[in-house]
Amino acid sequence: MCDQTFMAATFGPCDSCSKPSPLMNIYIKNEATNYCSLCVEMMACQGLQKGETLESLKRESETLKKKLEEERNKLNDVELHQVAEKVEVLSALSIKTRRVLKGHGNKVLCMDWCKDKRRMVSSSQDGKVIVWDAFTLNKEHGVPLPCTWVLACAYAPLRSLCLIMNGYLGLDNKCSVIPLSLDKNENLAAKKKSVAMHTNYVSGCSFTNSDMQLLTSSGDGTCALWDVESGQLLQSFHGHTADVLSLDLAPSETGNTFVSGGCDMKANVWDMRSGQNIQSFESHESDINCVKYYPSGDAFASASDDATCRFYDLRADREVAVYQKDSIIFGASTCDFSLSGRLLFAGYNDYTINVWDVLKGTRATILFGHENRVSRVRVSPDGTALGSASWDSTLRVSWSFSTGSNYIFRFIKLLFWVNSRLVLEFTVAF
Amino acid sequence: MSNNMAKIADARKTVEQLKLEVNIERMMVSKAAAELMAYCEAHAKEDPLVTPVPSSENPFREKKLFCEIL
C-alpha cells in the first residue's frame, strides 16, 4: 500500500541492537526511539509473549479513541458561531473578478503568489510553468517541462526560486527547483534541479521559512522534509493511511509544525523536528483536498470532496465550524484565508468560489466566472487580491473596491472614453 | 507470520499514538473562539478584502488613461 517502500527515515545505529541500519521512529511507552526493522519485529514478538494479541491491541485502540472523543467533548461548552454573534455582520462584499489571465493551453492545476505581491506562478497540464505580472498581465517567464502533469508550484520566500513538481506519469515522482532569473534568454529548464523523490506522485510542496528546506506530500502516504542544496532527506512523516493530498506550514516565523490532509479523510498536525504526529482530526466524510492554516496559526481549515469546508482549532483540539449548504453538492478542492482570517475562500468543482464568513459560519458571497473546476485559490501576500486557477486554462484575479469610489471611477472612465471618441472624430475629420 | 508481526507492530504504534493524543493539553472552545474572534477584529481594518481600500491605493487598479490621451 502506501508507504511500505519508504519506511527508512534515518540511518544510524539502532537503539536496541546498535547495528547501523535504516531506522524507524517508533514510540515505546511514550518515548521516541529508533529501531531497525529487525528489532521492530522482535519488539512485536515480545509484545505477543506478554499476552497481547492483535485483538487486544485493537480493542485498546478503540477504547483510546472513545476516550479521546470524550476528552474533546468535555471542552465543547459553546459553538464558534454562537460566540461570533457578538461580531458585526460583514458589510456587503464587493469582491469581483477583475482580471483574466490567458496563456495556458490546458487545465491550470496550481498557482502561487510571489512575496513581491505582484508576481504569480502557475503550472498547467500543457506542461508549462508561467510566471505572470498580475498588475500588467504580462507573462515574464514560460518554462516548458518534459512531464505534462505538473501538479504544483510554489514561490520560495527569499531567493525567488520557483518550485515545480512532476507528477505520476512516467518516472517523475520528483520535486524540482528552478532558479528564476531576469535574463529571458537563459534556458531555465536546463537549470532544473531535482530535490525530492517519493515512491508515488508528489501532491503538494512548500518551502519552509528559511528557504533552504522543502516540505513535500506524496501519494505514497508520507510527507518529507528535504534540504534544497543537497537534496538530502532530513525527516519523514508517517501516519496517513492513504495518499496525502495537501500540506500547509504554520505561519509563525519560529513555527515548527505543519498540517497535512489526505485521502484517509484525516488531517494531521506534525512536529517538523521530531517527525511526530501531534494531533489528528477525523471528521470529514471524504478525501481532504486542501488544508490551510488560519493566519494566527492557532487553527486551520480543510476543503474536502464531501462538499464541506471545516475549521479546526488546535488548542481546543476539535472541529469548531462546518461550512456547508444544501445547494453545494460538489467537492471543494482548495481553500485560503483572507489576511485577517475573517473570510475563507473555497474553490469548488461546480466552477464557483464560495466566500465564507469564518466566524459566523455563513456564506458571505459567491464568485462566478470560471468555466471549469477551480483548482486553486490563493490570497496575495498583502491580502489585496485573490488569485484563482482553473481547469478552464485561465487564472483570474479578484479584489474588492469600496463602492463609493467605484462609481466615481466609472464616471471618470466614461469621461475619458467620451474624450477619446471626440479626439478620434476630430482627427478623422481632418 | 512476519505479516502478522507487522500488523501487531502497527497496532502497537497506533495505541502509543492515541495515548499521546489523549494526553495533550486542551483549551475550552469558548476561550479558543474568543481568541480567534479577537484576532479577526484586530486585523480586519488591514484586510483589504474585508474593508475595501479606495481604488487609488489599490495596486491592481487599471492605470488611468491620462497619459494615453495627452
Side-chain angles (χ1 to χ4, degrees):
Chain A
M1 211 204 9
C2 52
D3 60 353
Q4 295 305 314
T5 52
F6 199 67
M7 286 288 238
T10 49
F11 193 92
C14 169
D15 284 341
S16 162
C17 66
S18 309
K19 280 194 211 143
S21 57
L23 300 175
M24 288 161 55
N25 298 327
I26 57 167
Y27 297 91
I28 298 184
K29 297 194 192 340
N30 300 339
E31 273 186 49
T33 48
N34 289 323
Y35 273 19
C36 66
S37 47
L38 182 64
C39 292
V40 169
E41 295 205 3
M42 287 177 61
M43 174 206 72
C45 268
Q46 285 165 6
L48 199 56
Q49 286 169 3
K50 284 182 197 143
E52 280 176 5
T53 60
L54 196 59
E55 287 73 33
S56 76
L57 283 169
K58 285 199 173 147
R59 262 180 279 130
E60 202 185 338
S61 74
E62 288 303 314
T63 327
L64 281 167
K65 276 188 195 164
K66 285 204 187 77
K67 184 149 184 251
L68 185 60
E69 253 327 286
E70 278 169 23
E71 291 291 321
R72 283 173 168 171
N73 284 335
K74 274 186 207 166
L75 298 157
N76 193 24
D77 52 346
V78 74
E79 298 282 324
L80 175 63
H81 62 87
Q82 288 169 317
V83 174
E85 270 160 29
K86 289 184 271 174
V87 176
E88 275 177 30
V89 175
L90 285 169
S91 52
L93 294 179
S94 57
I95 301 175
K96 287 204 174 55
T97 303
R98 318 273 176 180
R99 297 272 188 279
V100 180
L101 291 99
K102 295 187 183 176
H104 278 295
N106 208 326
K107 303 173 183 165
V108 186
L109 299 172
C110 186
M111 59 128 327
D112 194 19
W113 289 89
C114 182
K115 287 287 180 289
D116 71 359
K117 304 162 206 163
R118 70 183 274 175
R119 281 186 186 78
M120 294 163 54
V121 63
S122 62
S123 63
S124 161
Q125 207 177 337
D126 65 2
K128 278 212 289 226
V129 167
I130 298 180
V131 179
W132 310 81
D133 179 333
F135 290 1
T136 60
L137 306 191
N138 287 336
K139 301 182 195 45
E140 293 200 349
H141 294 98
V143 183
L145 296 166
C147 176
T148 56
W149 199 267
V150 183
L151 288 179
C153 54
Y155 244 113
L158 301 171
R159 286 185 291 171
S160 307
L161 285 173
C162 176
L163 175 70
I164 300 129
M165 269 175 356
N166 297 328
Y168 59 83
L169 290 179
L171 298 169
D172 279 331
N173 290 327
K174 296 183 277 191
C175 202
S176 310
V177 171
I178 290 188
L180 282 180
S181 73
L182 295 172
D183 180 0
K184 292 198 176 12
N185 294 328
E186 244 184 292
N187 183 3
L188 293 176
K191 288 187 154 186
K192 183 163 71 76
K193 180 175 148 178
S194 277
V195 172
M197 174 101 82
H198 279 275
T199 54
N200 206 329
Y201 66 93
V202 184
S203 55
C205 58
S206 181
F207 282 97
T208 62
N209 290 332
S210 68
D211 208 30
M212 303 295 290
Q213 294 174 347
L214 186 66
L215 198 54
T216 56
S217 61
S218 169
D220 64 14
T222 68
C223 299
L225 183 66
W226 309 84
D227 177 81
V228 174
E229 279 304 312
S230 62
Q232 195 193 356
L233 172 65
L234 299 172
Q235 182 66 264
S236 72
F237 305 91
H238 301 263
H240 279 287
T241 49
D243 304 18
V244 185
L245 295 179
S246 170
L247 61 83
D248 189 36
L249 277 160
S252 115
E253 303 273 308
T254 52
N256 285 309
T257 59
F258 73 94
V259 62
S260 65
C263 293
D264 56 357
M265 308 186 279
K266 284 205 286 203
N268 291 340
V269 181
W270 308 86
D271 180 320
M272 275 202 284
R273 292 163 301 183
S274 66
Q276 189 182 347
N277 179 3
I278 311 171
Q279 285 167 280
S280 181
F281 301 91
E282 197 169 4
S283 62
H284 270 292
E285 293 159 14
S286 185
D287 301 357
I288 296 179
N289 293 315
C290 184
V291 286
K292 201 76 178 58
Y293 264 98
Y294 188 74
S296 70
D298 293 326
F300 70 93
S302 58
S304 163
D305 276 345
D306 64 6
T308 66
C309 292
R310 289 172 203 247
F311 191 42
Y312 301 88
D313 188 294
L314 292 172
R315 290 165 312 167
D317 190 37
R318 60 175 294 117
E319 171 193 290
V320 291
V322 183
Y323 307 111
Q324 62 186 350
K325 259 181 136 56
D326 289 340
S327 52
I328 301 176
I329 53 170
F330 283 84
S333 56
T334 174
C335 61
D336 197 8
F337 283 102
S338 69
L339 204 65
S340 64
R342 183 66 195 270
L343 299 173
L344 178 70
F345 298 93
Y348 289 75
N349 294 339
D350 62 3
Y351 317 169
T352 63
I353 298 172
N354 286 298
V355 185
W356 299 94
D357 181 331
V358 169
L359 300 176
K360 293 199 186 281
T362 53
R363 182 168 64 187
T365 185
I366 181 168
L367 294 172
F368 295 103
H370 277 295
E371 292 158 11
N372 208 323
R373 289 194 191 186
V374 181
S375 52
R376 183 85 153 186
V377 291
R378 274 290 171 269
V379 173
S380 69
D382 61 353
T384 325
L386 174 76
S388 57
S390 163
W391 283 16
D392 65 5
S393 70
T394 66
L395 289 106
R396 278 163 211 259
V397 185
S398 315
W399 63 85
S400 81
F401 270 136
S402 58
T403 42
S405 62
N406 197 10
Y407 288 117
I408 295 171
F409 183 68
R410 278 201 215 159
F411 183 60
I412 293 174
K413 255 181 88 169
L414 179 66
L415 280 180
F416 278 117
W417 180 84
V418 167
N419 193 10
S420 68
R421 295 289 303 177
L422 286 174
V423 167
L424 192 67
E425 270 154 57
F426 216 43
T427 24
V428 165
F430 280 99
Chain B
M1 183 61 179
S2 65
N3 197 19
N4 199 27
M5 282 189 215
K7 283 187 194 167
I8 291 178
D10 269 346
R12 292 192 70 174
K13 273 191 259 180
T14 315
V15 165
E16 293 301 324
Q17 178 64 27
L18 283 167
K19 281 186 196 165
L20 285 169
E21 286 181 26
V22 167
N23 290 326
I24 63 169
E25 276 183 32
R26 292 180 188 83
M27 193 190 274
M28 296 295 278
V29 172
S30 50
K31 184 155 183 281
E35 290 193 19
L36 289 173
M37 265 173 52
Y39 186 90
C40 267
E41 305 211 306
H43 290 85
K45 295 272 179 308
E46 305 158 2
D47 186 345
L49 290 164
V50 172
T51 12
V53 295
S55 57
S56 54
E57 288 170 40
N58 186 337
F60 286 93
R61 76 188 187 286
E62 286 156 29
K63 302 291 174 277
K64 294 212 175 10
L65 303 170
F66 272 120
C67 318
E68 267 115 58
I69 303 294
L70 299 170

